Amino acid sequence: MALKKIYDDVITAADSSSASAGPAKTTAAVIPIILVALSFINLQENNGRNQASVTDSYKHHNKFVWEPPPRRLDSLRDAFPNDVSSIASYEDLHSLVNFDIPMPRDLNIVFMGDSLTRYQYLDLAFFLSRNGTWDREDHDEHFEVKSTAVGWQNFFYSSHKMLKPFETLCDCSRLGDNNARENRFFYEPHNNNRLTFLLKFGRIPFRSSWDVSYINEHSDSLVNDPQNVDIAQTLNWTEVIDKFVCKIIPRPTFFVFNSGLWADDELVEVDVQTKIVQSLSNCNIISVYKTTTIPMIDEPKNHNRDEMCQLADICYNVSWTGLVTPDKHADNVHFTPPIYSMLNIHLLSMLASGEVLAVNS
């Protein structure tokens, strides 16, 4: 249609010119203009067809070659098997775990429990402080219970130093189980990841030499002299949440807890269980109950608090630790790497599945 319109316009102009200039002169003047116009129109239409052909070809090519890469969050979700009930051995489970996971961001997790939870915290803090690598051949001693044989204060100092400058505070000292404090605070600013570990086992109260305002305002502190410490707070489970955890700035997203393998344990009490979950809910923190890891030789007192799984927002079921072989145990209850890494991959995979976790793109 564009070609016909230009042709008609040129002929009309030619007819007008012929009245004054005569047919021969008009034809000589107009024919070159028509030829140029026709060539230009033909070129434009060919270009249009060629462009459409290129676009169609690109779309066709794109359909089969330019598939978008899988979302990195998906790779974290799939890093640990969703169902381990049919897995028969530790070797089979280990082969299904993807240790090459993306770096999370905007984590804010409080871990609270005994030494098993501490080693899990140390493992995840190491991963985050090394930009997403579990490779720690020179640091394995910090993840095994035998490391405490060198003395608690040396252990606190060396493990804190290993995580510097990201472990900003360590309120850590120990003179027996009844006079123990180990409260660690980790912040990795590049990906905005925060971790907290608070020591609590059995019915023994949580102890801190600082109130929560100190940890909100200070950094780069290590308290590891048990002979010269003023205890600011001695709290039970719900008091820790109400007076300490809920007042940490910024407020944590997740509270991962387990009381460990202790015979005298508050968590067997239904009233305590209910109050813990309610206190966390009151300050909008997601409760994640971690079932008790399975010791190498089970004992009657080492029972899981399965009822907590019914109350907590998330049940973090680690019954698969019953598959762990003796060579991956440091003693009857503690593990060696990579079990703590597997625990953390399981945790992050589970949180990612609930779409409450972000990763770097």
Side-chain angles (χ1 to χ4, degrees):
M1 292 182 63
L3 173 61
K4 184 178 185 304
K5 184 177 184 304
I6 292 178
Y7 178 82
D8 289 343
D9 290 344
V10 171
I11 294 300
T12 300
D15 289 342
S16 299
S17 299
S18 63
S20 57
K25 186 178 291 187
T26 298
T27 302
V30 170
I31 287 177
I33 297 174
I34 294 175
L35 292 176
V36 170
L38 292 176
S39 298
F40 176 77
I41 293 167
N42 189 52
L43 178 62
Q44 290 294 95
E45 291 183 347
N46 285 338
N47 283 344
R49 283 192 293 270
N50 290 340
Q51 183 62 42
S53 178
V54 169
T55 302
D56 291 341
S57 176
Y58 175 78
K59 287 180 179 178
H60 180 77
H61 179 76
N62 196 38
K63 179 179 178 181
F64 296 101
V65 178
W66 281 93
E67 290 290 340
R71 293 171 59 197
R72 290 174 63 79
L73 192 58
D74 287 343
S75 68
L76 183 53
R77 291 190 190 103
D78 298 337
F80 197 90
N82 289 327
D83 182 8
V84 299
S85 59
S86 61
I87 298 176
S89 69
Y90 167 74
E91 290 76 14
D92 290 342
L93 175 61
H94 186 273
S95 69
L96 297 173
V97 177
N98 177 16
F99 288 83
D100 186 21
I101 62 173
M103 184 73 167
R105 58 177 172 80
D106 301 325
L107 279 182
N108 196 338
I109 300 176
V110 172
F111 291 93
M112 189 165 179
D114 68 349
S115 54
L116 283 158
T117 302
R118 172 219 294 131
Y119 291 120
Q120 182 175 354
Y121 156 85
L122 288 175
D123 177 88
L124 183 55
F126 186 93
F127 173 79
L128 297 176
S129 69
R130 299 306 193 272
N131 197 32
T133 176
W134 307 104
D135 184 13
R136 51 166 184 262
E137 291 183 1
D138 297 334
H139 301 280
D140 273 356
E141 70 273 12
H142 298 303
F143 302 91
E144 301 178 19
V145 69
K146 65 186 180 184
S147 65
T148 58
V150 302
W152 279 110
Q153 302 320 115
N154 287 334
F155 170 71
F156 294 143
Y157 174 79
S158 61
S159 58
H160 177 61
K161 182 179 179 182
M162 174 188 70
L163 296 174
K164 294 190 78 166
F166 305 109
E167 189 176 77
T168 56
L169 297 169
C170 184
D171 177 22
C172 305
S173 69
R174 189 157 181 157
L175 282 175
D177 293 341
N178 291 314
N179 188 14
R181 297 178 347 276
E182 188 175 351
N183 310 309
R184 297 169 177 262
F185 306 90
F186 174 97
Y187 175 49
E188 183 268 305
H190 181 70
N191 296 291
N192 192 36
N193 288 318
R194 299 175 186 270
L195 304 176
T196 300
F197 169 72
L198 305 176
L199 181 69
K200 178 76 172 73
F201 40 65
R203 201 173 291 272
I204 299 170
F206 164 83
R207 298 162 67 86
S208 173
S209 62
W210 305 320
D211 62 30
V212 72
S213 63
Y214 183 91
I215 68 167
N216 289 334
E217 298 169 4
H218 293 76
S219 63
D220 197 23
S221 294
L222 169 65
V223 174
N224 69 337
D225 183 0
Q227 304 288 355
N228 187 26
V229 171
D230 294 325
I231 300 299
Q233 294 181 306
T234 303
L235 308 171
N236 64 26
W237 276 99
T238 53
E239 289 172 337
V240 174
I241 296 167
D242 293 335
K243 298 181 180 181
F244 204 92
V245 174
C246 289
K247 295 182 179 180
I248 295 175
I249 300 174
R251 182 174 296 172
T253 307
F254 305 102
F255 182 80
V256 180
F257 66 106
N258 178 275
S259 59
L261 301 167
W262 295 78
D264 188 14
D265 184 3
E266 291 173 288
L267 280 186
V268 299
E269 301 172 11
V270 175
D271 184 55
V272 173
Q273 298 170 3
T274 304
K275 287 181 177 179
I276 288 173
V277 174
Q278 187 60 55
S279 291
L280 292 168
S281 177
N282 288 344
C283 56
N284 297 316
I285 296 175
I286 298 171
S287 56
V288 182
Y289 177 68
K290 181 179 74 170
T291 63
T292 305
T293 52
I294 308 299
M296 188 162 49
I297 302 174
D298 202 0
E299 302 173 23
K301 67 179 182 181
N302 297 329
H303 58 283
N304 287 326
R305 281 62 174 161
D306 291 333
E307 60 274 13
M308 280 300 306
C309 276
Q310 305 301 317
L311 295 173
D313 295 317
I314 298 174
C315 178
Y316 173 26
N317 189 343
V318 297
S319 58
W320 57 264
T321 53
L323 297 173
V324 176
T325 51
D327 61 306
K328 296 295 187 296
H329 276 269
D331 58 22
N332 187 45
V333 297
H334 296 93
F335 303 108
T336 63
I339 306 305
Y340 297 112
S341 301
M342 292 172 67
L343 284 166
N344 282 315
I345 293 169
H346 183 188
L347 174 63
L348 295 176
S349 172
M350 182 180 60
L351 298 182
S353 296
E355 296 191 355
V356 286
L357 191 64
V359 298
N360 281 340
S361 57

